[in-house]
Amino acid sequence: MAAAPRCLFSVASSPCPSPAFSSFFLSNHHLSSSRSALHGWPMLRYRNLDLLRPSHGYSAHRRIRIHAPLQMHIRGNTTATGATTDKESSLIEWTRKDNRHLLHVVYRVGDLDKTIKFYTECLGMKLLRKRDIPEERYTNAFLGYGPEDSHFVVELTYNYGVQKYNLGTGFGHFGIAVEDVQKTVELIKAKGGKVSREPGPVKGGKTVIAFVEDPDEYKFELIQRAPTPEPLCQVMLRVGDLKRSIEFYEKAFGMQLLRTRDNPEYKYTIAMLGYGPEDKTTVMELTYNYGVTEYDKGNGYAQIAIGTDDVYKTAEAVRVTGGKITREPGPLPGINTKIMACLDPDGWKTVFVDNADFLKELEN
């Protein structure tokens, strides 16, 4: 029998299931109140996109009508770096040519088996793999609508003994494209699921949507669409300055602004950004609510992971466009998987992962 693979995020050689690489994306799984269990460790472990030490813790632009209170957020701000330098221009151009795609989203749940049951039976996802790390007191599960090397998936984290998380006010919802919203809602109701918005046209539009909640109250928007290669199609986050966020996601992350929509009647504006069309790939939906500049992020939602061909140049692009690096680019201890981590202007965390290294880890 082959020896168990080693945990790649530990300086020590503790065994863990493969691919160990993905355990890094459990950043911040533990509540601050549970971190005391880490004190006194005789080694350093990557648990947070930072080192825990013993005894310490954004195609085409579409013209839209802008509501007056929003104008300052769409047109009034200057970039944090001022005039664009040659280096910045070169890096921004590179990010647009880099081979980038959304890999997965990480968040914490209080009952893993119950959540898996809801996602597979009600939302039609597949359980791709599951891993328990008893020495670090957590279990995670990967679910989606296809293999991890070609689909966006969710990574659920269950921390031993933690049954409830604060979802805050910043995280919005995940979007799932379905052919028939009404039938999907009926199925979810039959399974005992919670429907928080009945099927009907979206406000100010014609697309039929509905909202449901999983056992931990994470919201899922069901969007009626023709069959798509990527049903898990959106991640919605709220931001305090839409212009600033669009600039950052375009320049630092190399995303394309797909469209914007202003809803003055309901006092909010959204921007859709991504690496491909909405009907074929997963996109980010950034929402600005008039007059709201800060949100409570809670401790449930963790981060998005994005594939790149060069984590070092990605880090440079993030720096010159005003982003904050929280984990310098480089290989993780014990393996050659290269990653870097950063925060956007609102403090939302993103991890960039070397594409070739990611594929190698999935093969193990």
Side-chain angles (χ1 to χ4, degrees):
M1 180 178 294
R6 300 295 181 181
C7 261
L8 53 148
F9 306 114
S10 174
V11 174
S13 57
S14 54
C16 75
S18 177
F21 153 72
S22 54
S23 67
F24 182 77
F25 298 109
L26 299 173
S27 74
N28 283 341
H29 335 260
H30 285 266
L31 293 170
S32 58
S33 60
S34 66
R35 285 184 178 150
S36 59
L38 300 175
H39 291 189
W41 277 19
M43 74 286 289
L44 304 177
R45 291 175 184 262
Y46 288 92
R47 299 293 305 283
N48 258 7
L49 305 182
D50 299 307
L51 281 171
L52 292 178
R53 299 183 180 273
S55 305
H56 298 288
Y58 197 51
S59 187
H61 292 263
R62 190 162 70 102
R63 185 175 295 278
I64 60 174
R65 183 166 67 91
I66 304 299
H67 190 268
L70 183 62
Q71 289 176 357
M72 68 182 69
H73 291 270
I74 296 295
R75 293 198 286 260
N77 295 342
T78 57
T79 60
T81 54
T84 302
T85 65
D86 289 343
K87 179 180 180 181
E88 182 178 348
S89 295
S90 176
L91 285 168
I92 290 171
E93 182 63 24
W94 174 81
T95 64
R96 294 169 180 165
K97 296 178 179 179
D98 186 25
N99 180 24
R100 296 189 174 185
H101 53 285
L102 298 176
L103 298 175
H104 56 252
V105 60
V106 186
Y107 52 104
R108 307 167 187 90
V109 299
D111 186 326
L112 193 57
D113 291 337
K114 186 176 181 179
T115 303
I116 290 173
K117 182 180 177 67
F118 179 84
Y119 286 17
T120 55
E121 295 185 2
C122 296
L123 301 180
M125 293 187 191
K126 298 177 181 178
L127 175 60
L128 304 172
R129 57 190 172 95
K130 186 178 178 182
R131 177 186 58 229
D132 183 44
I133 311 295
E135 66 272 22
E136 298 189 21
R137 297 181 57 78
Y138 74 87
T139 305
N140 62 0
F142 296 78
L143 300 96
Y145 295 98
E148 290 176 65
D149 60 356
S150 58
H151 288 74
F152 184 67
V153 306
V154 299
E155 178 180 340
L156 306 177
T157 301
Y158 167 69
N159 291 295
Y160 292 7
V162 183
Q163 299 177 337
K164 184 69 176 177
Y165 291 94
N166 169 25
L167 304 191
T169 58
F171 170 76
H173 61 260
F174 303 113
I176 297 181
V178 299
E179 293 184 56
D180 192 320
V181 169
Q182 184 64 53
K183 287 185 178 180
T184 304
V185 166
E186 290 173 359
L187 171 63
I188 292 172
K189 286 181 177 179
K191 296 286 185 178
K194 180 180 179 180
V195 177
S196 54
R197 198 264 201 196
E198 292 290 338
V202 65
K203 293 176 180 177
K206 297 181 180 179
T207 303
V208 176
I209 66 167
F211 276 92
V212 300
E213 295 182 13
D214 76 1
D216 290 272
E217 300 182 352
Y218 288 100
K219 291 180 171 62
F220 285 80
E221 179 182 16
L222 306 179
I223 307 166
Q224 189 155 299
R225 288 181 182 172
T228 172
E230 186 53 87
L232 187 54
C233 59
Q234 294 177 4
V235 176
M236 193 276 259
L237 300 175
R238 298 183 177 91
V239 299
D241 185 323
L242 194 57
K243 178 189 183 302
R244 179 185 66 182
S245 294
I246 289 172
E247 282 189 351
F248 181 81
Y249 279 76
E250 284 184 309
K251 293 179 178 180
F253 288 4
M255 290 188 182
Q256 179 183 14
L257 175 60
L258 303 171
R259 64 185 175 94
T260 58
R261 187 178 78 239
D262 184 39
N263 295 274
E265 181 181 357
Y266 301 103
K267 298 184 178 181
Y268 75 91
T269 305
I270 64 170
M272 298 293 196
L273 302 101
Y275 299 111
E278 285 183 67
D279 60 344
K280 292 182 173 62
T281 62
T282 305
V283 301
M284 300 295 297
E285 176 181 348
L286 303 183
T287 298
Y288 166 69
N289 291 297
Y290 294 3
V292 183
T293 59
E294 293 184 1
Y295 293 92
D296 170 18
K297 294 180 177 59
N299 57 16
Y301 174 89
Q303 65 205 32
I304 287 280
I306 300 176
T308 176
D309 284 342
D310 192 328
V311 297
Y312 299 95
K313 291 186 73 172
T314 296
E316 290 183 59
V318 169
R319 281 197 181 92
V320 301
T321 51
K324 179 181 179 180
I325 305 296
T326 57
R327 201 278 184 188
E328 292 294 333
L332 292 165
I335 63 161
N336 293 319
T337 300
K338 295 176 289 293
I339 62 93
M340 63 80 63
C342 62
L343 301 179
D344 76 358
D346 289 272
W348 294 113
K349 185 181 298 182
T350 300
V351 176
F352 283 85
V353 186
D354 182 273
N355 286 320
D357 293 346
F358 179 68
L359 293 178
K360 288 177 184 177
E361 289 300 325
L362 290 179
E363 292 173 357
N364 293 333

